[in-house]
Amino acid sequence: MALSEQEALHQAIVPPKPPFIAPGHSPGTVTEKISEIVLTRKTPRWWFVGFGIAFILVMGFLYAVTKLVFEGTGLWGVNIPVGWGFAIVNFVWWIGIGHAGTLISAILLLLRQSWRTSINRFAEAMTIFAVACAGIFPIIHTGRPWLAYWLLPYPNTMGVWPNFRSPLVWDVFAVSTYATVSLLFWYMGLIPDLATLRDRAQNKPAQIIYGMLSMGWRGGSRHWQNYETAYLLMAGIATPLVLSVHTVVSFDFAAGVVPGWHTTIFPPYFVAGAIFAGFAMVLTLTLPLRAVFGLQDFITQRHVQNMAKVMLATGLIVAYGYIIEAFTGWYSGSHYEHFMMLNRIKGPYGFQYAMLWLCNILAPQVLWIRFFRTNPVALWIVAMFVNVGMWLERYIIVITSLHRDFLPSSWGEYAGTRFDWMIFVGTLGLFVALLFLFIRFLPMISIAEMRHMAHQTAHSSGTKEKA
Amino acid sequence: MSKGSTASGGEPRVQIPGGEPLVQIGGAADAAGAAGDCHEEWKKGAAASERSALDLASVRERLRNAKGPQFWRSLEELAATPQFEDMLHREFPRHAAEWPADGDGATNGFSRRNFLQLSSASLALAGLTACTRQPIEKIVPYVKQPEEILPGRPLFFATAMPFLGYANPVLAESNMGRPTKLEGNPEHGASLGATDAFTQAAILTLYDPDRSQSISNLENVRTWSALQAALKPFLDAQIAIEGVGIRVLTGSTTSATFRAQWDQLMGPYPQAQWHQWEPAGRDAVRAGSKLAFGEYLETRYDFAKADVVLTLDSDVLTAGPGAVRYARDFASRRKVSTANAPQMNRLYTLETTPTATGSMADHRMALPPRGIAGAALALAAALGVEGASAPEQDAELQRFVKAAARDLMAHRGRCVVVPGEYTPAAVHALAHAMNAALGNGGETVIYGDAVEVQPQDQLASLKSLRDDLVGGKVEVLFVLGANPVFDAPADLDFANAIKKAKIRIHHGLYQDETAEYCQWHLPEAHFLEAWGDARAYDGTASILQPLIEPLYEGKSQIEVLALLNGKADAKGHDLVQATWKGNGLTDATWRKALHDGFVEGTASPARSVTAQGAGIAQAIGDLLAASTPSRAGFVVVLRPDAAVFDGRFANNAWLQELPRPLTKLTWDNALLISPRTAEVMHLRQRELVELKLVSGRPVRVPVFVDPGHADECATLHMGYGRTRAGRVGTGVGSAAAALSDSTSPWLAQVDLALTGETYLLATTQEHYNIEAHSLGANLEGREAIEERHLLRVMTLGEFTQEPEKIREMVESPKPEDSINPPWTYEGYAWGLAVDLNACTGCNACVIACQSENNIPVVGKEQVDKGREMHWIRIDRYYGGDLDRPEIYHQPVMCMHCEQAPCEVVCPVGATSHSAEGLNDMVYNRCVGTRYCSNNCPYKVRRFNFFAWNKIEPNDAYSHPVQKLGRNPDVTVRFRGVMEKCTYCVQRINRVKISAEIADRKVRDGEIKTACQQACPTQAIVFGNINDPESEVAKWKAGPRNYGMLEDLNTRPRTSYLARLRNPNPELGEKA
């Protein structure tokens, strides 16, 4: 197709953005390439090794949780004054990670950011698994986990309701709603692909299982019409959740009187932090997977760059949060706040606080440089910094605020015990194990949407992206 | 409070008509539960019970060998031992065989078939819980309902706890025949309703499972008659030689009955000797009296009359006989309530080790022992004591002494000089002379006849006993309630000396270190189990009546002495009654004495005495020698511990875990040194050092920097390093006795060597504000305390001028500022106030709360992790200079905030507000999110991180026997729930119910919280703040009242009355 003069000029001045799907792909090749990973490729040895390691961590997790249930919260490092420790830190961290999926799927869908297509499935799965990991902690962190269901408002003979003034009850609603909607959204997106797998499956069990899961999807235009409408609606429902969940989680702290918790900046800063952490985790996982499965055609340089840019932007919001926190400590004139800030910097957790600045504020600044956005290894390292940094952020918020609050006579210190670490690492294992199962048994990139995109790309000029 | 309406008619209350003990305890033999005397059963060694008795005995033995500090960790380890499992299995013999007998039993182990059988059976049984066969447990109902016992209604009996021989009067609460709590006796002058911490903790000792439970001869269980038979030939042989080979060693005693028994013994055995030994006794007090007056006199003080008090290394407000009363009288002069010309006494303290008394001082100076001697001399000189001349001193001390002397002289007859129990006798003699010079005799200082029945120089007595032992002169040695093998000065080498006696009989609550060296051990009855008598510091006699049959085979000291007199079957009751009938009590007055808790009119009358010039001159000479630096070496003063005292309470877990008044140390003693000494000697906190007398074995002790301690010396508390205390106290801390020398038992010149090791010391509070610049703690804490105005302190002068300033230190939101209308309390609104000007930090409230509210102990490791469970803690703050700090106490319990931050955040509503303003805790509803604790600005909530109260046979506190001592009105909390101070809601409700039945309002002062009731200084008041006439409302209306962290708008119901200091203008504002 010949270019018009104007177009040629435009192209000469403004270099074309790289496409979201490598040229040369047709719907057929897309389907072939993605479904092949699940259906025909032999399970590679590294899969067994990786899954095995993750599985062992899960066993360690189960051991630690069992011991915890039988012996008591005292196995952890928590004490008075630091009543919350790793469990809450991990909960907030995992929930934060779980944000990227829905953001990518829902908000970017609504904003018609079609580059999301190749990463949304994966990000959504990550969300589900992260939320699953997160959901464990509020339950096991209670002193009597077998009674944790008392936080649910259910009619009972005791005639007692939960205390609706408590942010922990809001948490129950926020997290459970988020988990439900994310799961439905993910599953709904999977249906056309499950049907594809059903159709292409070589053996009977796979056909039956995928067949049941695909719920009778035949790909008729009526199906597609309903599907598209419902999907969009779900995206609409999920979108406010992205903002609400971490806002509510931040209320766990903001509603308290503890200096370092009681602050209005928390909701926006937590949401930004969540997206920051979520994108870091998506990058942490996609970069190696892309390389291993050779999916560079679908998850292109542009995806990676976009994600890096989102990370940089949200990282700056988080930095703003930190700065405002420190500023408020001084400007408020409240000696509690003032002391809290000084204690963060100079107190026993000063090193962690410094590390937090390094990981969350300084490290992402390299993303201004193009090299760090495009070089997978460099970007992966930056993402790892952010993962660690975001965990430290919650650690700082939870522990440094509690360990020296109002009465100096009651000040204390906190350190996680080996059970704290076993459970934390155990959830990492659980997360990885679930991801391994996911990449082995489900299409990690949306086949249907990629087909659509391949079609569009093929029919467009190839030089201009269709919005 | 209700007392038994009639006197206990000479019978222990628990003796139910029909002869059944109300509570059946007494070892495993009782498991059979058969009717009849369980003790008889035990003695006969009934075949049926023998097996289980042996099992428990072996476990008990293993437990006894468990080391103290590791005890809490070792519970699980212990539970995992094969022996323990073995015992468990035999408890369920039917299924025991199903489990492999040993680890390698693949052959005789657990077969798959058996497993399936069992698991299917248990599955089936899971649905059939209603059909489980209950074990057969015979219970014996009352044949006749005993008089006065109503289930759920406690009875109170007046008795007394003997301590160093002196009576601490108490009202013992008995629930269904089980003593559960000790209160002070409000009608007794030595108590006025208050107690000290030791008395509060005595209940735990009563139910201590480690108490010795049977008579033993060389570790074999024997009977009383066997003992009698074994003794007979020896005693008979002694008659011929007038008992020259008989020696009896006891602690101090004031028991007239004991004396009477002894006098009887003198009949057949006139040459027998009675020795006494208390490692932390009153030798110096006695010697001082002898020096000054030529006889043993009892000195007591009247602080209520004293405007100026000067103490010389004395902890008179919290330690020693009469401390409870002294504290009350002292504090009565500090309850400054009106702003109009407020008056207050003034306390000068010169001391070596910071004490609770020192913390109350308006002027305090820390001096090493020789400095105390010098200061005493200088003071005597300034007060015009004949012959006294001041040694050379530094200017600061001179100024201090001059100002204090002038102040004392200005208050002639209304002041007092108090020497400490462990200062040299010469200081006591000189103090007598000073008080005489000040005209205090008969005013603030009252002399009476000795209260002890046989006062003697105990150290000399012990030395002569030791010499006789070594000389082979002792045939029969009775050790009654003393433990010289553990606590005698090291150079006496008592362990080796005692072996020289032919026959050695030990009588005590525990099979302690001395018991190990005696062939015979006899269990002693706890004072709540036995009849006895004792006299209080003022001479008032009390009859001790038992509240419960002896749990084990214990007998009291008087009964053992009666055994020597050939009256093996004599009942304590008859012995005591015989003595007191002889002293003029009739049946009616005997009953009255039992009811009241004291024998009326037995207080020793005041005597007017004059000091002998020669004795004073000798004292001055002694002090001149003592005040000059002499031998080289590091000086360590040995003092009894504020919790385990001389070691007698070492196995009491409440006391072991009690944060010591100033150091806040638990579960250990430490070498206390001043910050400056630490710097000069390059000693680090928690560093292990080795202390050694010139000859003697070394002691390893961790260093603990104690601000306010005197420089160039150190303090080590006694009572630790027990080797046979029981599972709680064995191996805790380091033995100070090894540093004790018979020439100066409380002052050691030691060599100090570094080990380079550090040691874990569990403290409940760090020195946030004080260690700052020299010891590397944080500086911010100091600012934090100042900025937050947690503790508000003013001088009396400032207060008189600007009384409102205390309230204005912090601006707090007013209720009417809120857009929500405040809740109005129609009925009662409970509130509490603490007078910081009266609190000495003595810890009585802490143990009282623990006893009242069934609060568990957690062990050293858990304390170190910050998981101690005390519902009330005493915050200790230092003020001012690092080297001369002011010391303050602030008891902190739940504030019962009007707008409680904890209530909002609890997701299940387990903590919520009552209609009377209490912040209630619903244990059943709590799921344990710990959010409430995080959000509590006062950090008064305590969490059950583990099942502290789970019944495990290897758990000292949770032992089944210990369960008997629990307050039945208070839930024992389970794992995973939050708990905290309830303002003793059970007490509130009890009184409310009885008021409601009587159709009246609760009267002010009718409800006393446990802490309030125990408080010797009455620093705590509780009541209805809705009633403006109530004491608490009046306190709260006063100008000193303030709320902690009020600026958070929590509106605490607990408030504080600011601390005032009354410095001598001559010395300036500084302490």
Side-chain angles (χ1 to χ4, degrees), chain B residues 890-1011:
Chain B
Q890 184 171 39
V892 183
M893 63 290 272
C894 176
M895 298 287 141
H896 292 268
C897 307
E898 212 75 72
Q899 304 196 22
C902 53
E903 289 171 8
V904 189
V905 297
C906 174
V908 291
T911 185
S912 49
H913 230 59
S914 85
E916 291 168 356
L918 295 182
N919 171 246
D920 285 342
M921 185 68 223
V922 191
Y923 305 126
N924 284 342
R925 179 68 178 166
C926 178
V927 299
T929 64
R930 305 184 293 288
Y931 199 171
C932 54
S933 170
N934 289 345
N935 216 31
C936 173
Y938 307 98
K939 289 289 174 283
V940 291
R941 293 180 154 264
R942 297 286 173 264
F943 187 66
N944 289 273
F945 285 95
F946 285 113
W948 313 124
N949 273 312
K950 199 171 154 194
I951 303 304
E952 283 169 350
N954 51 356
D955 187 320
Y957 178 70
S958 312
H959 194 279
V961 176
Q962 290 286 21
K963 282 204 291 182
L964 297 171
R966 306 255 165 92
N967 184 351
D969 294 336
V970 178
T971 316
V972 172
R973 281 77 58 186
F974 21 88
R975 157 160 83 87
V977 305
M978 198 56 86
E979 61 183 67
K980 62 157 193 84
C981 159
T982 62
Y983 275 172
C984 287
V985 67
Q986 68 280 5
R987 292 184 172 214
I988 297 176
N989 286 335
R990 183 183 291 285
V991 174
K992 260 177 63 187
I993 289 166
S994 50
E996 229 157 90
I997 290 170
D999 195 22
R1000 60 173 175 84
K1001 292 272 275 181
V1002 171
R1003 285 186 288 265
D1004 186 39
E1006 206 175 347
I1007 304 172
K1008 277 185 156 52
T1009 60
C1011 52

Side-chain angles (χ1 to χ4, degrees), chain A residues 64-390:
Chain A
V65 169
T66 310
K67 203 163 157 66
L68 178 82
V69 169
F70 276 88
E71 289 185 19
T73 319
L75 292 177
W76 289 350
V78 282
N79 54 31
I80 307 290
V82 187
W84 285 352
F86 268 42
I88 299 297
V89 172
N90 297 341
F91 163 68
V92 182
W93 188 69
W94 277 121
I95 278 283
I97 287 170
H99 268 63
T102 317
L103 179 96
I104 291 169
S105 305
I107 297 190
L108 297 188
L109 178 78
L110 293 182
L111 295 176
R112 302 243 170 245
Q113 295 293 312
S114 54
W115 60 273
R116 65 173 268 285
T117 306
S118 52
I119 53 168
N120 75 328
R121 164 73 40 74
F122 188 78
E124 281 170 39
M126 195 194 76
T127 291
I128 309 273
F129 303 150
V131 171
C133 289
I136 293 166
F137 286 105
I139 296 167
I140 63 168
H141 108 282
T142 61
R144 303 199 285 167
W146 49 94
L147 296 177
Y149 69 92
W150 283 355
L151 270 74
L152 298 170
Y154 69 102
N156 56 70
T157 50
M158 299 181 281
V160 198
W161 291 96
N163 174 13
F164 290 105
R165 294 187 298 171
S166 170
L168 292 190
V169 173
W170 313 340
D171 246 14
V172 170
F173 295 119
V175 174
S176 57
T177 312
Y178 186 61
T180 316
V181 171
S182 304
L183 188 67
L184 281 177
F185 195 39
W186 179 63
Y187 183 64
M188 218 159 110
L190 265 173
I191 287 175
D193 290 2
L194 289 168
T196 307
L197 292 179
R198 171 198 63 197
D199 296 344
R200 297 174 67 94
Q202 308 290 319
N203 56 36
K204 206 79 192 158
Q207 282 168 352
I208 291 171
I209 292 167
Y210 288 124
M212 278 160 70
L213 290 173
S214 59
M215 300 176 101
W217 178 269
R218 295 187 310 280
S221 48
R222 202 188 173 104
H223 280 184
W224 275 112
Q225 198 197 352
N226 288 342
Y227 171 85
E228 292 278 4
T229 315
Y231 198 63
L232 210 60
L233 277 175
M234 280 303 280
I237 294 169
T239 301
L241 290 180
V242 177
L243 301 176
S244 73
V245 179
H246 231 56
T247 302
V248 171
V249 169
S250 78
F251 287 163
D252 287 351
F253 305 107
V257 297
V258 182
W261 285 10
H262 187 65
T263 158
T264 47
I265 189 101
F266 265 21
Y269 142 50
F270 264 55
V271 171
I275 297 164
F276 186 41
F279 271 86
M281 188 53 90
V282 174
L283 278 173
T284 311
L285 299 173
T286 39
L287 288 172
L289 277 179
R290 183 175 87 132
V292 169
F293 287 108
L295 296 175
Q296 283 87 345
D297 290 355
F298 303 146
I299 303 170
T300 62
Q301 204 65 271
R302 249 193 94 186
H303 287 107
V304 173
Q305 275 223 52
N306 277 356
M307 286 195 276
K309 282 175 189 167
V310 173
M311 225 165 74
L312 180 59
T314 48
L316 288 174
I317 301 177
V318 169
Y320 173 77
Y322 294 171
I323 291 161
I324 283 297
E325 248 186 340
F327 173 76
T328 313
W330 167 75
Y331 186 72
S332 67
S334 158
H335 32 252
Y336 306 121
E337 294 288 334
H338 184 74
F339 173 75
M340 178 277 298
M341 223 37 239
L342 275 181
N343 184 50
R344 267 190 196 174
I345 298 163
K346 301 200 294 188
Y349 299 96
F351 174 73
Q352 283 92 326
Y353 190 64
M355 286 302 292
L356 163 69
W357 277 75
L358 172 73
C359 292
N360 277 359
I361 310 300
L362 296 180
Q365 298 313 314
V366 298
L367 297 178
W368 291 103
I369 304 159
R370 193 186 157 84
F371 167 80
F372 287 95
R373 295 199 302 270
T374 50
N375 181 303
V377 177
L379 187 56
W380 192 84
I381 291 169
V382 174
M384 279 312 285
F385 264 102
V386 175
N387 287 330
V388 174
M390 286 310 289

Side-chain angles (χ1 to χ4, degrees), chain B residues 318-338:
Chain B
T318 61
V324 169
R325 175 59 185 265
Y326 293 159
R328 161 79 85 109
D329 287 346
F330 178 81
S332 73
R333 302 294 308 276
R334 293 180 92 81
K335 299 226 166 112
V336 180
S337 52
T338 49

